[in-house]
Amino acid sequence: MATVLLVEDDHVVRDALLRSLTDLGHTVHATGTALDALRRVAAEIPDLIVLDLGLPDLDGADALRMLRGITDTPIIIATARDDEVEIVRLLRAGADDYMVKPFSSAHLEARVATVLRRTGRASRVEPEVIDTGSLRVDPGERQAYLDGTALALTRKEFDLLAYLAARPGRVVSRRELLEEVWRQPSIGEDQTIDVHLYWLRRKLGESAAEPRFLHTVRGVGIRFAAPA
Ligand code: CA
């Protein structure tokens, strides 16, 4: 079970969610403002944050950005706005999932379990370090090293590299990357992958034309292979 920070200013909604999450066995801390949430996260990072977008002190997107500035912990957005463009923007800004209000406690339970499983927070077992000699990817530390030098990767660039490096030799499809790394299978925008791949390759000192680790298999996907 996990430690959950619930950020919601509506007392009725907050009490209901608090009860649901507590019934599931989670340890829940609740607050009604974004600034208090930031203070709490700075003091102790929870396993999961459930963030209401309509808070009295900060715009939800700003709150998300500020939280992302201090932690990689999974964030589920709870929003009253069923606006696809806004939701896509928030997922790109680092939200792990979203729920449109009102939602049932069963729905919340399913989403929380999925996010915790996907982000490996449920078990607290750290995924294995991948070391090819020249490239070292440490999922626990969320850091990658190329020839001993730490790479400055964004969150998604790291997720992309870690996902591919954990599956050496296998061609991973774009669809799988969207589902497992971006967690948004319905969006189906290849460009998102291309942009991240471009920057990741630059940081790895390679290009699509001259790959070192990330090999494009045209029409199929990407295959990770360590240079011989
Ligand atoms: Ca609200």
Side-chain angles (χ1 to χ4, degrees), residues 8-10 52-56 101:
E8 168 64 73
D9 63 317
D10 183 315
D52 170 36
L53 277 192
L55 294 169
K101 293 186 211 173

Side-chain angles (χ1 to χ4, degrees), residues 31-137:
T31 179
T33 67
L35 290 176
D36 189 49
L38 285 161
R39 250 196 311 274
R40 285 168 187 253
V41 170
E44 190 190 355
I45 294 172
D47 295 316
L48 176 76
I49 300 170
V50 178
L51 178 67
D52 170 36
L53 277 192
L55 294 169
D57 57 339
L58 273 182
D59 171 66
D62 290 336
L64 173 64
R65 208 169 304 118
M66 291 170 83
L67 284 167
R68 269 292 162 257
I70 53 175
T71 179
D72 275 340
T73 211
I75 299 176
I76 298 178
I77 297 289
T79 173
R81 313 169 217 169
D82 186 6
D83 176 347
E84 167 118 356
V85 174
E86 173 70 3
I87 287 165
V88 169
R89 197 167 68 84
L90 292 167
L91 288 169
R92 291 232 170 99
D96 292 87
D97 205 349
Y98 71 94
M99 303 186 69
V100 177
K101 293 186 211 173
F103 46 78
S104 66
S105 57
H107 190 177
L108 176 66
E109 173 182 356
R111 293 294 184 101
V112 167
T114 303
V115 167
L116 289 173
R117 192 175 63 241
R118 277 183 168 162
T119 53
R121 311 255 168 177
S123 59
R124 292 181 184 280
V125 173
E126 296 290 1
E128 271 176 52
V129 173
I130 299 141
D131 199 340
T132 71
S134 48
L135 181 69
R136 180 180 153 85
V137 182

